[in-house]
């Protein structure tokens, strides 16, 4: 410090801290230590918000309680979140003072990672929209084109952004429902019989001449057009291709075009081609179109976000189940079959077969296809059921609270989009 007194006063949000000038030089917080190298008052004001030369006091308009916790880290070497303060807000304070996430304790690092992951998924698009709108207002040449593309993108990506988007989403939902009904109906025995009779009568005609083929072609045409338009108006084409919902759309549309291509190349009726195992599997992938409803229903969005946030708890639950299956499966095989190979229960002849009994017992399903007949086996079955109830209930609390939090966050975001839409309409 080349000016001022020998004692520096750091004023953060009204809370004052006094430090000798020599301490400021090697202070653990980079923003504070930068004050020592400032040669003029102008350089000081680039580091802090205000400066009082008479008292040699530096003002920082930051969160005083957060800085108090940061000072505890400077004193004791442990950094934790401020209670009842948003993790991201505290992380912004850390970045301001020159700290990184690695300075946090492990438990707080995990909370920050989860929070940042959720924020990246749900709010970065809003930030991009703000930046794009700012750049659009700043530019004069491409202003109309940018606004038009932005409206088109919102119409196809955000069902609550406008009345046109709501109508488009409703039409898309109707097509999904019709496609699912047709797919389910095509597996009915009576439907298959009628379809086979039609194929025999029109062996050399295309299936598009039949009502089911026309409905299927219309649905596929709608989904294809929707996917193409969304790809054209998307900001990042590579990111669009990598999104799971878009991959599902592609996998659901592809089998139909494969069937049409084979019809053109081979001249066979597409109804006959569906008898092939490969095409039947591909055609059944259309059931994943149900996931498209996640774009339009808050409940499915909440479910997907909850599973993403609680993947650790889900893995923990699977580990619990696998360990219990291994233990109870081996014991069940031993008690029901291994001790008496001649008259033992043949349904428990192997550990994998016993593991099937374990999983249906732990989940309290109880199909009744296999059950223990010995007294030790029945005792083991009771322990297996009780253990399953306890093990399955352990992670449920975390998953439930995460689901409630995700629901309120998505509901708040949806309400905010609706308010912005109303404001834009009134303006």
């Amino acid at each position: 410090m080349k000016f001022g007194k020998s004692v520096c006063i750091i004023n953060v949000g009204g809370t004052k801290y006094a430090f000798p000038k020599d301490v400021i030089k090697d202070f653990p917080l980079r923003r504070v230590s930068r004050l020592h190298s400032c040669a003029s008052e102008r350089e000081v004001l680039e580091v802090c918000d205000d400066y009082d030369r008479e008292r040699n006091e530096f003002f920082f308009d930051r969160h005083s309680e957060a800085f108090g916790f940061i000072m505890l880290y400077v004193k004791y070497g442990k950094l934790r979140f401020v209670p009842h303060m948003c993790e991201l807000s505290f992380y912004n304070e850390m970045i301001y003072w020159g700290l990184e996430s690695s300075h946090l304790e492990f438990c707080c690092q995990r909370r920050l990672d989860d929070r940042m992951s959720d924020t990246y998924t749900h709010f970065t698009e809003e930030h991009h929209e703000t930046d794009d709108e700012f750049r659009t207002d700043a530019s004069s040449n491409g202003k109309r084109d940018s606004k038009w593309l932005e409206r088109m993108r919102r119409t196809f990506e955000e069902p609550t952004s406008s009345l046109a988007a709501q109508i488009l989403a409703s039409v898309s939902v109707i097509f999904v429902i019709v496609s699912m009904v047709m797919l389910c109906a095509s597996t009915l025995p009576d439907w298959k019989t009628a379809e086979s009779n039609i194929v025999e009568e029109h062996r050399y005609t295309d299936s598009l001449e039949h009502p089911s083929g026309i409905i299927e072609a219309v649905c596929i045409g709608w989904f294809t057009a929707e996917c193409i338009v969304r790809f054209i108006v998307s900001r990042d084409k590579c990111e669009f291709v990598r999104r799971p919902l878009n991959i599902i759309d592609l996998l659901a549309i592809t089998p139909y075009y494969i069937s049409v291509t084979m019809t053109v190349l081979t001249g066979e009726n597409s109804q006959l081609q569906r008898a092939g195992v490969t095409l039947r599997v591909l055609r059944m992938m259309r059931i994943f179109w149900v996931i498209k409803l996640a774009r339009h229903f808050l409940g499915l969005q909440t479910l997907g976000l909850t599973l993403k946030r609680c993947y650790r708890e889900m893995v923990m639950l699977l580990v619990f189940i696998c360990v219990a299956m291994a233990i109870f499966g081996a014991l069940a095989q031993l008690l029901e079959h291994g001790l008496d190979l001649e008259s033992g229960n043949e349904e428990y002849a192997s550990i994998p077969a016993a593991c099937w009994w374990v999983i249906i017992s732990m989940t309290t399903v109880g199909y009744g296809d296999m059950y223990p007949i010995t007294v030790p086996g029945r005792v083991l079955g009771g322990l297996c059921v009780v253990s399953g109830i306890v093990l399955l209930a352990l992670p449920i609390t975390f998953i439930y609270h995460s689901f409630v939090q995700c629901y309120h966050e998505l509901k708040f975001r949806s309400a905010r989009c609706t308010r912005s839409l109303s404001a834009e309409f009134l303006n």
Side-chain angles (χ1 to χ4, degrees):
M1 184 72 64
K2 299 181 180 179
F3 56 92
K5 302 179 181 179
S6 59
V7 177
C8 301
I9 299 177
I10 307 297
N11 189 330
V12 181
T15 305
K16 299 181 181 181
Y17 303 86
F19 303 99
K21 186 193 305 182
D22 298 335
V23 175
I24 296 294
K25 180 179 179 180
D26 299 323
F27 206 78
L29 304 180
R30 287 198 300 267
R31 182 168 290 271
V32 178
S33 62
R34 284 170 55 190
L35 295 172
H36 188 274
S37 60
C38 294
S40 63
E41 186 172 346
R42 181 179 179 181
E43 294 182 3
V44 171
L45 293 178
E46 293 178 356
V47 178
C48 62
D49 297 308
D50 199 2
Y51 171 67
D52 189 344
R53 179 183 291 271
E54 295 181 359
R55 292 181 295 181
N56 200 27
E57 185 173 351
F58 303 89
F59 295 92
F60 294 88
D61 188 14
R62 307 300 297 187
H63 198 285
S64 59
E65 187 177 1
F67 185 76
F69 273 71
I70 293 175
M71 288 301 299
L72 292 176
Y73 164 73
V74 174
K75 185 175 181 180
Y76 299 105
K78 293 184 178 181
L79 182 60
R80 294 186 175 90
F81 285 129
V82 178
H84 310 296
M85 182 177 180
C86 176
E87 294 86 353
L88 296 180
S89 299
F90 186 79
Y91 182 57
N92 288 332
E93 296 292 327
M94 291 171 51
I95 295 177
Y96 178 83
W97 294 108
L99 298 178
E100 300 177 356
S101 60
S102 58
H103 294 97
L104 286 167
E105 293 294 303
F106 177 76
C107 58
C108 295
Q109 286 186 24
R110 178 178 174 181
R111 286 173 55 189
L112 179 62
D113 292 340
D114 293 341
R115 188 65 173 172
M116 292 185 68
S117 176
D118 301 337
T119 304
Y120 176 80
T121 303
H122 297 283
F123 297 103
T124 49
E125 292 185 359
E126 297 177 4
H127 295 164
H128 290 323
E129 290 172 9
T130 304
D131 295 339
D132 288 348
E133 290 175 358
F134 176 79
R135 286 193 292 267
T136 302
D137 294 336
S139 61
S140 57
N141 296 329
K143 185 176 181 180
R144 294 182 179 179
D145 295 338
S146 299
K147 282 190 174 181
W148 180 82
L149 289 175
E150 183 65 21
R151 286 185 178 180
M152 287 290 294
R153 191 199 64 80
R154 287 189 175 185
T155 301
F156 281 87
E157 294 289 347
E158 301 177 7
T160 59
S161 60
S162 64
L163 179 60
Q166 294 177 359
I167 296 175
L168 187 68
S170 301
V171 174
S172 181
V173 170
I174 292 174
F175 274 103
V176 171
I177 294 175
V178 170
S179 179
M180 292 300 99
V181 170
M182 294 297 297
L183 179 63
C184 296
S186 64
T187 60
L188 295 174
D190 296 340
W191 184 285
K192 290 182 178 180
T193 303
E195 193 175 63
S196 300
N197 295 334
I198 293 176
V199 170
E200 290 296 331
E201 296 176 1
H202 306 275
R203 181 176 295 273
Y204 298 101
T205 60
D206 199 327
S207 63
L208 293 180
E209 298 179 2
H210 313 311
S212 61
I214 295 175
I215 296 176
E216 183 179 8
V218 172
C219 293
I220 294 292
W222 170 266
F223 295 135
T224 304
E226 181 185 12
C227 188
I228 292 175
V229 172
R230 290 177 53 248
F231 176 77
I232 293 175
V233 300
S234 62
R235 297 192 186 98
D236 190 347
K237 302 298 188 293
C238 296
E239 180 65 23
F240 178 87
V241 174
R242 290 194 297 264
R243 290 180 182 176
L245 287 179
N246 298 330
I247 295 175
I248 292 174
D249 291 344
L250 181 62
L251 293 177
I253 294 172
T254 302
Y256 178 81
Y257 290 104
I258 293 177
S259 177
V260 173
T261 303
M262 293 183 63
T263 301
V264 174
L265 295 178
T266 62
E268 296 180 2
N269 191 283
S270 59
Q271 298 284 352
L272 296 176
Q273 294 171 5
R274 290 175 186 170
V277 177
T278 303
L279 282 179
R280 275 187 292 169
V281 173
L282 292 175
R283 188 166 179 262
M284 195 57 63
M285 292 178 64
R286 289 167 52 190
I287 198 67
F288 290 110
W289 273 340
V290 176
I291 304 179
K292 288 170 62 70
L293 300 177
R295 289 195 179 99
H296 316 297
F297 292 100
L298 183 64
L300 292 177
Q301 296 175 11
T302 306
L303 178 61
L305 181 57
T306 303
L307 294 178
K308 183 176 181 180
R309 285 187 180 180
C310 299
Y311 73 93
R312 293 188 180 93
E313 286 75 14
M314 299 299 294
V315 171
M316 180 175 61
L317 179 61
L318 291 177
V319 171
F320 287 166
I321 294 176
C322 291
V323 171
M325 284 175 58
I327 296 175
F328 286 107
L331 293 177
Q333 192 275 338
L334 176 64
L335 296 177
E336 291 294 316
H337 185 269
L339 297 179
D340 191 355
L341 298 178
E342 295 181 358
S343 60
N345 193 343
E346 294 297 331
E347 295 178 348
Y348 295 82
S350 63
I351 292 180
C355 287
W356 165 250
W357 168 80
V358 172
I359 190 65
I360 63 175
S361 298
M362 291 183 64
T363 55
T364 65
V365 175
Y367 289 120
D369 55 341
M370 56 187 302
Y371 50 87
I373 57 177
T374 62
V375 175
R378 292 176 178 177
V379 173
L380 180 67
L383 295 176
C384 179
V385 172
V386 174
S387 301
I389 294 174
V390 174
L391 293 179
L392 293 176
L394 289 177
I396 294 300
T397 303
F398 300 100
I399 298 175
Y400 166 75
H401 288 297
S402 179
F403 182 86
V404 174
Q405 182 182 4
C406 294
Y407 176 77
H408 288 300
E409 288 182 5
L410 293 178
K411 188 176 181 181
F412 172 77
R413 184 190 177 196
S414 178
R416 183 169 56 182
C417 292
T418 304
R419 288 195 299 267
S420 63
L421 172 62
S422 301
E424 182 180 354
F425 178 76
L426 294 175
N427 293 333

